[in-house]
Amino acid sequence: IVGLVGPNGAGKTTLLEALAGLIQRDGGQISVLGHDPATSPVQVRSQLGFASPTQPVFDLRVQELINLVSGYYPTWDASLAEDIRRRFDLDPKQRASKLSLGQGTRLRLLLAMAFRPKVLLLDEPTSGLDLGARHTLMEVVLEFVETGETAIVLSSHLLSDVERLSERLLVLNRGQVVRDGTTDELVGDEQTLEEALVVWGAA
């Protein structure tokens, strides 16, 4: 799990969306599992999950949307999708447009995880979630990592969650990488991630 942190406007969401092939980059190179997301979008998106609270979804009932999205992924795991749906307490008959912010976030997480991607990008995954839902999310993320099959890049303003989950940190400021290393090396035991960001001028 790589934690992507830095101040507002540092480029975190832009980087994640570029990795997912959702925006056109104006320079540089990107390789995701050996493919450029700009020129090989199908090869990338078939192996990459992306979840953001602002990501648009069709206004269908939850179960209808799950059924629709499952058809795009040969690796879709229906039992995993149902397990996450139950753990996130999502009503299968509720329409997407009627979901609260937290419920919508949970639905997007389910859709990003249920096909067991090799790379999972999470942009503010705890947005709108209460403490119980945040705890469930962290459980699910850690279970993904334990399989050894999925790499996760996590960006969140809840720095305590990033610090707790991440093995490695990538610190951005004004579009530049200012720190890159293991969480233990960069933060240590004497300070929190928040305190470290202030020291680095990247808070």
Side-chain angles (χ1 to χ4, degrees), residues 2-6 8 12-13 16 122-127 134 137 153-163 165-166 193 197:
V2 177
L4 186 62
V5 294
N8 290 337
K12 302 184 295 297
T13 294
L16 293 178
L122 302 178
D123 189 16
E124 298 294 339
T126 55
S127 178
R134 280 174 54 204
L137 166 66
V153 182
L154 164 69
S155 175
S156 174
H157 285 93
L158 290 173
L159 297 178
S160 59
D161 289 347
V162 176
E163 186 174 357
L165 290 172
S166 301
L193 174 55
L197 288 172

Side-chain angles (χ1 to χ4, degrees), residues 59-173:
D59 185 21
L60 301 172
R61 299 185 190 279
V62 167
Q63 192 59 55
E64 292 172 343
L65 186 56
I66 291 172
N67 294 342
L68 174 67
V69 174
S70 70
Y72 290 99
Y73 298 99
T75 58
W76 186 270
D77 187 332
S79 62
L80 174 62
E82 177 60 16
D83 178 58
I84 295 175
R85 187 197 65 75
R86 286 188 291 101
R87 291 167 70 179
F88 280 169
D89 195 26
L90 289 168
D91 181 352
K93 298 180 181 180
Q94 184 72 279
R95 295 192 72 87
S97 62
K98 301 299 183 181
L99 297 175
S100 68
L101 174 60
Q103 290 171 328
T105 297
R106 282 176 273 184
L107 175 61
R108 289 164 174 80
L109 289 167
L110 183 158
L111 298 175
M113 292 178 172
F115 67 99
R116 296 191 179 277
K118 293 183 179 178
V119 177
L120 179 61
L121 308 180
L122 302 178
D123 189 16
E124 298 294 339
T126 55
S127 178
L129 299 186
D130 57 27
L131 184 59
R134 280 174 54 204
H135 180 72
T136 301
L137 166 66
M138 287 190 282
E139 282 186 340
V140 172
V141 168
L142 288 173
E143 288 169 11
F144 254 71
V145 174
E146 287 173 357
T147 67
E149 299 173 355
T150 302
I152 297 174
V153 182
L154 164 69
S155 175
S156 174
H157 285 93
L158 290 173
L159 297 178
S160 59
D161 289 347
V162 176
E163 186 174 357
R164 188 178 307 116
L165 290 172
S166 301
E167 302 161 293
R168 176 184 167 194
L169 292 174
L170 197 65
V171 185
L172 297 185
N173 195 14

Side-chain angles (χ1 to χ4, degrees), residues 192-203:
T192 65
L193 174 55
E194 183 176 358
E195 291 168 340
L197 288 172
V198 171
V199 171
W200 300 331

Side-chain angles (χ1 to χ4, degrees), residues 12-87:
K12 302 184 295 297
T13 294
T14 299
L15 175 57
L16 293 178
E17 291 181 345
L19 287 169
L22 299 177
I23 60 173
Q24 291 291 329
R25 65 182 186 272
D26 53 15
Q29 296 179 332
I30 296 177
S31 178
V32 180
L33 300 170
H35 300 284
D36 185 330
T39 58
S40 304
V42 174
Q43 289 89 335
V44 171
R45 290 307 300 271
S46 65
Q47 304 178 84
L48 179 147
F50 176 83
S52 164
T54 60
Q55 186 179 9
V57 295
F58 292 113
D59 185 21
L60 301 172
R61 299 185 190 279
V62 167
Q63 192 59 55
E64 292 172 343
L65 186 56
I66 291 172
N67 294 342
L68 174 67
V69 174
S70 70
Y72 290 99
Y73 298 99
T75 58
W76 186 270
D77 187 332
S79 62
L80 174 62
E82 177 60 16
D83 178 58
I84 295 175
R85 187 197 65 75
R86 286 188 291 101
R87 291 167 70 179

